[in-house]
Amino acid sequence: MSIMDFNVKKLAADAGTFLSRAVQFTEEKLGQAEKTELDAHLENLLSKAECTKQWTEKIMKQTEVLLQPNPNARIEEFVYEKLDRKAPSRTNNQELLGQFMIDAGNDFGPGTAYGNALIKCGETQKRIGTADRELIQTSAINFLTPLRNFIEGDYKTIAKEKKLLQNKRLDLDAAKTRLKKAKVAETRATIWAEEVTKAEQELRITQSEFDRQAEITRLLLEGISSTHAHHLRCLNDFVEAQMTYYAQCYQYMLDLQKQLGSFPSTFVSNNNQSSTTSMSNISTPSSSAVTTSLLPSTSSTVVTPALTDLKESSGSRKARVLYDYDAANSSELSLLADEVITVYSIVGMDSDWLMGERGNQKGKVPITYLELLN
């Protein structure tokens, strides 16, 4: 017999087996054939495995959406993963926004109130972008990868054995049907007794194969409990990664809030006279340092006079220096953090600058580096 003849006969036998199982399955659905029921424990294990698979897929896909909302980026990462290549590093949204803010702040001038605030906000946004990148990387390794390994590994094995069990059950029920028909025919003397014996032997073989496959499938399915325990540990890792990320973001924003809150409210209000006029009826929570520094108070408490009052008066004020400042030319005054100087306004001077005096030294100073003292 040639190899081709052998392959043809094997294909024919496989086709016959497939057709026989298809007929058996159809007759079961139509109620025309008996069906061997699995024991309740095995049925529960199968149901638990299917439920685990469905929810694991949903959680995994939604986690991917959470970590990477851009569908095109997810597709690109999927393609690179299938090609077993590392996806190119891309700038995320926080980092891009941060860079725009920094560039704008430098263009407007770091010595101006708005420019300085933009630079500080931009640096914070870039730090948040870095933290976001670390969250994605950590979550992918500690959470998404184990879930994906279950779907593409363990569950595929379970599904394969489950399908094999289904085929063994169909073979068993088909053998039961043939034996029943053989016994009916024997009573009518239409077949020999050896045909019944042959059918009984076939039933014993198929029953043994079904029982063995049911045991194999059961052992695999009982491993789902271990899978749940492993995924619980992975979930704890994911929560810890999120906790670290949000704690970092909170600390970054808290630091930024303090930096923006240290800008004198008089300077900010001077640069936003039109906006503060329209927002004069907005109440400001006492717990927010940033909001308090950007919006005028509506309470009856006495507040620091506006910069316009200082410019319109001929008097001077004491101011504390917030940051070191190196004079760019002879018309400016160098500053040291925490020192106290005298400041006053000159008619026609840029709104972002005041005149400062320290003893016999005098020169222009940027308002964003000062805090007026009562």
Side-chain angles (χ1 to χ4, degrees):
M1 181 186 298
S2 66
I3 296 177
M4 182 174 294
D5 292 338
F6 176 79
N7 289 337
V8 169
K9 289 185 177 181
K10 185 176 185 303
L11 289 174
D14 291 342
T17 301
F18 175 79
L19 181 61
S20 174
R21 288 170 177 169
V23 171
Q24 178 72 19
F25 187 76
T26 303
E27 289 178 347
E28 288 178 357
K29 290 295 182 181
L30 296 176
Q32 298 175 352
E34 294 184 3
K35 176 183 177 180
T36 299
E37 298 292 341
L38 303 177
D39 65 80
H41 177 60
L42 186 56
E43 286 285 5
N44 289 336
L45 290 176
L46 287 169
S47 177
K48 183 178 180 180
E50 182 63 23
C51 183
T52 300
K53 179 249 186 181
Q54 291 178 358
W55 283 114
T56 300
E57 284 182 331
K58 290 181 179 180
I59 292 172
M60 183 178 68
K61 290 179 180 178
Q62 193 57 38
T63 303
E64 291 173 343
V65 172
L66 174 67
L67 297 176
Q68 178 51 269
N70 188 337
N72 293 328
R74 292 201 303 275
I75 293 174
E76 181 183 1
E77 291 173 355
F78 176 79
V79 171
Y80 274 99
E81 182 181 348
K82 291 302 178 182
L83 295 176
D84 197 21
R85 295 175 57 187
K86 184 178 180 181
S89 178
R90 64 173 66 86
T91 303
N92 58 37
N93 292 329
Q94 291 93 341
E95 292 172 326
L96 189 60
L97 173 61
Q99 191 58 54
F100 285 165
M101 286 182 169
I102 292 174
D103 292 344
N106 288 324
D107 199 15
F108 296 153
T112 65
Y114 186 39
N116 191 287
L118 276 173
I119 292 174
K120 293 184 182 302
C121 289
E123 291 172 348
T124 299
Q125 290 296 331
K126 293 188 75 172
R127 283 195 288 268
I128 292 176
T130 301
D132 181 69
R133 191 184 301 279
E134 292 173 354
L135 170 65
I136 293 175
Q137 182 179 7
T138 303
S139 300
I141 296 174
N142 296 337
F143 187 60
L144 286 177
T145 298
L147 297 186
R148 188 177 292 109
N149 288 342
F150 167 72
I151 296 297
E152 298 179 357
D154 294 349
Y155 189 80
K156 278 191 174 181
T157 301
I158 290 175
K160 178 182 177 181
E161 298 300 330
K162 177 183 175 182
K163 182 178 180 181
L164 188 56
L165 176 64
Q166 173 80 343
N167 291 335
K168 295 298 183 183
R169 186 192 61 77
L170 291 171
D171 291 343
L172 173 61
D173 289 339
K176 289 179 179 179
T177 300
R178 283 192 291 271
L179 177 59
K180 183 181 294 184
K181 291 180 178 179
K183 289 183 176 180
V184 171
E186 183 185 29
T187 58
R188 297 175 181 174
T190 56
I191 64 171
W192 298 101
E194 53 264 24
E195 292 296 330
V196 176
T197 303
K198 181 179 178 181
E200 290 175 341
Q201 183 179 6
E202 181 184 6
L203 177 59
R204 285 193 297 272
I205 294 174
T206 55
Q207 181 71 59
S208 176
E209 291 178 348
F210 170 77
D211 292 340
R212 183 170 62 253
Q213 185 58 39
E215 181 64 16
I216 294 173
T217 306
R218 182 186 64 79
L219 291 174
L220 285 173
L221 291 172
E222 287 177 345
I224 291 294
S225 297
S226 298
T227 298
H228 283 193
H230 177 52
H231 288 180
L232 174 58
R233 292 191 294 271
C234 296
L235 181 61
N236 286 332
D237 292 339
F238 179 52
V239 171
E240 184 175 347
Q242 284 185 305
M243 182 183 67
T244 301
Y245 168 71
Y246 289 120
Q248 287 177 324
C249 292
Y250 174 76
Q251 187 61 51
Y252 294 152
M253 296 309 297
L254 189 63
D255 294 342
L256 176 62
Q257 183 185 52
K258 292 178 180 178
Q259 293 180 58
L260 295 184
S262 66
F263 288 176
S265 60
T266 56
F267 300 159
V268 180
S269 63
N270 178 69
N271 292 334
N272 299 277
Q273 290 179 23
S274 60
S275 63
T276 56
T277 302
S278 62
M279 299 173 69
S280 60
N281 292 327
I282 298 180
S283 62
T284 56
S286 59
S287 61
S288 177
V290 173
T291 309
T292 305
S293 68
L294 297 178
L295 299 178
S297 173
T298 58
S299 66
S300 59
T301 306
V302 178
V303 296
T304 305
L307 182 59
T308 52
D309 296 337
L310 178 59
K311 286 183 175 294
E312 292 172 359
S313 68
S314 59
S316 60
R317 293 285 300 280
K318 294 292 184 181
R320 182 174 67 87
V321 178
L322 299 172
Y323 320 103
D324 291 344
Y325 178 74
D326 293 328
N329 51 56
S330 59
S331 67
E332 298 179 6
L333 181 65
S334 295
L335 303 173
L336 294 175
D338 294 327
E339 70 172 325
V340 177
I341 63 173
T342 302
V343 294
Y344 56 91
S345 177
I346 296 178
V347 177
M349 180 178 287
D350 190 291
S351 61
D352 292 327
W353 297 81
L354 287 172
M355 287 300 297
E357 287 186 0
R358 182 200 305 112
N360 296 327
Q361 295 179 317
K362 181 189 301 185
K364 293 193 303 181
V365 293
I367 62 175
T368 54
Y369 284 70
L370 305 173
E371 177 183 11
L372 286 181
L373 302 176
N374 292 333

